[in-house]
Amino acid sequence: MRNLSVAVAAAVSTLAAAPAVLAQPAPIEAYAALPAIQATAVSPDGANLAYIRRTGDSASVVAQARTGEVLVTIDVSDRTARSVFWASPDHVVIQSTVIEHLPGFAAPLTFAQLDIVNVRTRQVSRALRKADRAVITGSWGHVVGTYRGEPVLYVQTLTMETQSRIPSLDVYRVGLDDGRGRLHQVGAEDTRDYVVRRDGTIAARVTYDDETGVWRVLTPAGGNWREILSRRQLLDMPSLVGLGRSEDTVLLSELREDGPVLVEISLADGSEVAEHDNNGLAGILRDNRGLMIGLSHEGLTQDYTLFSPDIQAVWAKLQQGLPGRQLTLGDINDDLSVLVFHSEGAGDPGTTYVYDGARQSVSLVGRDYPDLKPADVGQVSVLRYSASDGRELFGYLTRPASGGDRNLPLIIMPHGGPESRDHAGFDWWAQAMASRGYLVFQPQFRGSDGFGQELLEAGYGEYGRKMQTDLSDAVDYLVKGGLADRNRVCIVGASYGGYAALAGMTLQQDIYRCAVAVAPVADLTRKLELDRRRGGRDRENTSLRYWMRFIGVDRDNDPLLAELSPSQHAAQAQGPILLIHGRADTVVPFEHSTIMERALRQAGKDVELIPLDGEDHYLSLPATRRQMLAETIEFLEAHNPPR
């Protein structure tokens, strides 16, 4: 252990401190590129790695020995690959996102598709392409396990051929070499989830009745099901998040009167065995049996509580060897001796390493943005400020890498969600704008998630109101502090952040010089109409109830929706507006931007709409991601010159 910090320092010796001033910023394409390496996973025996590798517009999944020998390379340029994981020492699974319009569903379905690669034979099989029943070749949850001594996947998916008009969520046992799905556990109309052990036994089944709001946890009992827990919740439903520290417990995440809790529940009788820290809970770490071995928490930064003192000591040494960086634990092998982790911050735009416990060493796997140098990365710091009603807030401030700290042009960049958050590490979009001389501030306004239930709930009913003024209050603070120039402020955001950008130009006045809205919500009435069509009656429509609570209305035709819709106030817009939207967006349909563009043009305002062909809500395609960022920077430099 005493040599570990030295090993870490040696592994990152190329990430030296940056020069104080940049002569020439990196090209926009270097920031817009999807990470060159992503989602690195280690095999159960610790001998091999697998990861997604991107070069230009092409992507592949690479499996290689840790000694460097490439075992197999699979081209995945034709799909949206999100992650990889090992199902056995010989099998890597590629998990991709698929969006399909299927008969009988009011809205497009988004699900994970699994492709299984045998790294020895180099054969690829799609999970559930063949199955005992007619199924969707997608996963709503999976567990790596065994069946009669052989490795398999237990996959939750929708069986289409049922006696009911509603597909049932069932568990299929999937062979790793042929991808064939064999029906393992039959669900019912009200089944919402399962907790499956590694040996394939069902630890628990979760049901929910949309009409009554009754949520239940059932366990197997002599061929039947026995209820061990129930709640009545029409919103903020509890959830089971896998096994606890033993195969006889499960983890319950629930919002109670005193805040969110994470409790371990006995499968024998539903009693609470233990309560774990749920403050800023970001994730649950598991071993090869699916048992909880630690927790990650994220406030301003992310940290870990690892139940093994030895692993906790290793993590502390890694942090000591990489001071000032945000470390994220990526994967761990079966005997917990090999760890994959990620670093970003302090001039590092993202690097993946592997720790070898036997050798007490750290080695480099790859860099997210190889075309960016430390000098291309602006300093990120936390800045606290007060809203006009006295609420204490904060955000992440990215300074231009080229220097300067007084009276800078400012970009306010609200996050999406709004029940979401920004992070302290490398943000490619914020860093790209900062590289062009802009001060970028990402406020964590009321309604943001990850900083406590009180801040989240403070956003209920404040959509377009205090959630909006939290942003302009940040402008006031930065201007009064001398950091920003009052006359050179623009607002840029995507999804809810796109709504906030449009609202800043229409519902508010004399604050922002220009706005870029990517995939924005422009018409709240149209948004709730879509939620109603997709989700059915009010009482059964969780999505509709959720958004009405955030917006602050009790029906989907409330006149307040028009009052808070930027498209209804286009005549009040001050300054030019750039709209950018993917034509294949199923989260916020493209029509929101066409509605806003039409309203602005009819009002004689300066507006441009850039459609992104084939792009989804998440800027998943390399070419259109580059297009979005290039158009944004060009627009900002034209309408809010940095110098």
Side-chain angles (χ1 to χ4, degrees):
M1 289 294 295
R2 65 181 180 273
N3 297 320
L4 180 55
S5 294
V6 176
V8 176
V12 300
S13 59
T14 57
L15 296 176
V21 178
L22 264 181
Q24 182 67 34
I28 289 300
E29 293 77 10
Y31 295 94
L34 288 163
I37 183 170
Q38 188 178 22
T40 304
V42 62
S43 61
D45 57 9
N48 303 317
L49 300 174
Y51 51 85
I52 300 171
R53 181 177 64 194
R54 295 186 178 91
T55 305
D57 291 350
S58 64
S60 58
V61 167
V62 178
Q64 68 176 57
R66 283 179 48 214
T67 56
E69 174 196 358
V70 174
L71 305 175
V72 64
T73 299
I74 304 296
D75 189 342
V76 293
S77 304
D78 61 342
R79 70 203 79 170
T80 307
R82 301 290 189 189
S83 64
V84 297
F85 62 91
W86 290 85
S88 84
D90 295 331
H91 296 88
V92 168
V93 182
I94 304 168
Q95 184 166 286
S96 305
T97 298
V98 174
I99 301 173
E100 287 190 7
H101 293 76
L102 296 171
F105 290 88
L109 284 184
T110 301
F111 52 86
Q113 198 166 71
L114 307 179
D115 291 299
I116 309 169
V117 182
N118 186 315
V119 300
R120 306 302 173 189
T121 66
R122 303 189 178 187
Q123 296 299 307
V124 182
S125 301
R126 177 151 296 166
L128 298 170
R129 176 163 281 169
K130 296 180 180 179
D132 293 346
R133 306 276 182 89
V135 301
I136 294 175
T137 58
S139 168
W140 277 263
H142 67 266
V143 169
V144 174
T146 59
Y147 180 74
R148 295 180 178 176
E150 294 296 321
V152 296
L153 284 176
Y154 293 101
V155 179
Q156 299 183 40
T157 194
L158 297 177
T159 299
M160 305 302 290
E161 52 175 284
T162 67
Q163 300 300 316
S164 166
R165 63 179 177 85
I166 302 174
S168 63
L169 183 66
D170 301 329
V171 179
Y172 284 78
R173 189 176 64 250
V174 175
L176 298 186
D177 283 322
D178 59 7
R180 181 176 179 81
R182 293 167 173 83
L183 187 60
H184 186 76
Q185 175 63 58
V186 178
E189 287 186 22
D190 60 355
T191 300
R192 295 294 182 269
D193 195 11
Y194 300 89
V195 177
V196 184
R197 299 186 182 94
R198 185 176 174 85
D199 64 2
T201 57
I202 306 299
R205 179 165 69 94
V206 177
T207 69
Y208 184 71
D209 187 309
D210 290 309
E211 188 167 351
T212 64
V214 175
W215 179 90
R216 301 189 301 160
V217 178
L218 310 170
T219 58
N224 294 311
W225 295 94
R226 175 173 58 92
E227 180 183 303
I228 63 168
L229 198 67
S230 68
R231 301 282 191 270
R232 186 177 183 277
Q233 295 284 120
L234 289 171
L235 202 53
D236 299 322
M237 286 179 290
S239 63
L240 289 191
V241 286
L243 294 170
R245 291 169 297 174
S246 79
E247 292 190 340
D248 299 322
T249 64
V250 289
L251 290 171
L252 171 71
S253 178
E254 183 175 27
L255 180 61
R256 296 180 178 173
E257 287 187 4
D258 56 349
V261 298
L262 180 70
V263 292
E264 224 169 326
I265 300 294
S266 168
L267 289 168
D269 56 11
S271 61
E272 296 185 8
V273 174
E275 182 171 340
H276 301 279
D277 182 8
N278 197 44
N279 184 31
L281 182 67
I284 297 167
L285 307 177
R286 301 189 177 280
D287 64 11
N288 66 312
R289 298 166 296 169
L291 303 184
M292 178 176 64
I293 60 170
L295 300 169
S296 66
H297 295 88
E298 188 166 18
L300 298 179
T301 58
Q302 185 167 330
D303 206 354
Y304 293 86
T305 301
L306 300 160
F307 300 155
S308 164
D310 290 341
I311 301 298
Q312 187 72 58
V314 166
W315 191 251
K317 284 289 186 180
L318 294 175
Q319 291 177 310
Q320 181 181 341
L322 289 162
R325 292 173 173 84
Q326 173 65 66
L327 302 190
T328 306
L329 180 57
D331 198 16
I332 192 165
N333 74 327
D334 278 3
D335 67 5
L336 311 184
S337 65
V338 180
L339 273 127
V340 174
F341 67 97
H342 186 264
S343 162
E344 57 184 301
D348 179 3
T351 309
T352 299
Y353 301 96
V354 61
Y355 160 74
D356 186 322
R359 292 188 174 93
Q360 291 283 290
S361 65
V362 172
S363 54
L364 175 70
V365 178
R367 306 192 191 284
D368 294 6
Y369 297 91
D371 294 332
L372 292 179
K373 305 179 296 297
D376 298 316
V377 181
Q379 177 189 352
V380 180
S381 59
V382 174
L383 184 144
R384 300 181 183 276
Y385 70 101
S386 295
S388 52
D389 64 355
R391 174 172 291 277
E392 294 299 314
L393 297 169
F394 72 94
Y396 297 103
L397 185 71
T398 304
R399 298 174 185 270
S402 56
D405 59 1
R406 304 296 295 176
N407 297 317
L408 295 172
L410 172 65
I411 306 297
I412 293 292
M413 187 178 173
H415 59 68
E419 192 174 335
S420 183
R421 59 163 295 167
D422 294 301
H423 302 272
F426 178 85
D427 185 302
W428 61 274
W429 195 353
Q431 287 287 349
M433 292 187 291
S435 75
R436 267 51 196 170
Y438 296 101
L439 187 69
V440 182
F441 187 63
Q442 297 168 277
Q444 306 309 290
F445 47 86
R446 68 194 78 199
S448 298
D449 195 14
F451 306 105
Q453 193 66 21
E454 198 275 335
L455 181 65
L456 171 62
E457 292 184 359
Y460 294 167
E462 297 296 345
Y463 206 101
R465 285 161 282 191
K466 288 184 179 180
M467 287 167 61
Q468 193 68 32
T469 57
D470 285 349
L471 313 181
S472 49
D473 289 340
V475 174
D476 290 340
Y477 182 86
L478 291 164
V479 168
K480 289 175 182 177
L483 289 171
D485 182 343
R486 167 73 71 185
N487 297 316
R488 294 192 294 164
V489 183
C490 287
I491 182 168
V492 175
S495 195
Y496 171 80
Y499 165 85
L502 295 179
M505 299 292 285
T506 56
L507 305 185
Q508 295 180 292
Q509 300 292 304
D510 302 320
I511 300 168
Y512 305 106
R513 187 171 176 174
C514 64
V516 179
V518 179
V521 175
D523 189 305
L524 295 181
T525 301
R526 188 66 60 95
K527 171 178 173 45
L528 294 192
E529 284 176 356
L530 179 62
D531 286 335
R532 175 183 288 282
R533 290 200 306 270
R534 288 177 170 180
R537 295 176 294 173
D538 286 1
R539 187 172 179 81
E540 300 177 8
N541 194 323
T542 303
S543 177
L544 191 62
R545 291 196 301 267
Y546 173 90
W547 286 111
M548 288 194 299
R549 177 175 69 181
F550 241 117
I551 295 170
V553 297
D554 56 11
R555 64 185 192 278
D556 62 0
N557 61 352
D558 193 305
L560 184 61
L561 295 170
E563 292 181 29
L564 298 176
S565 294
S567 62
Q568 300 297 314
H569 301 275
Q572 298 171 212
Q574 295 180 321
I577 294 174
L578 176 64
L579 301 164
I580 305 177
H581 212 134
R583 290 189 184 275
D585 192 336
T586 59
V587 178
V588 179
F590 183 72
E591 68 170 351
H592 276 270
S593 283
T594 60
I595 289 170
M596 191 70 203
E597 181 199 29
R598 184 166 57 249
L600 288 166
R601 289 202 184 282
Q602 289 175 350
K605 302 300 180 178
D606 185 351
V607 61
E608 182 179 6
L609 170 59
I610 305 292
L612 303 178
D613 292 335
E615 184 58 271
D616 61 17
H617 191 66
Y618 306 104
L619 298 171
S620 300
L621 304 179
T624 44
R625 180 162 151 145
R626 290 195 301 270
Q627 181 185 1
M628 182 285 295
L629 190 55
E631 296 282 3
T632 295
I633 297 296
E634 182 180 347
F635 176 86
L636 291 174
E637 290 181 334
H639 298 287
N640 191 26
R643 295 176 182 84

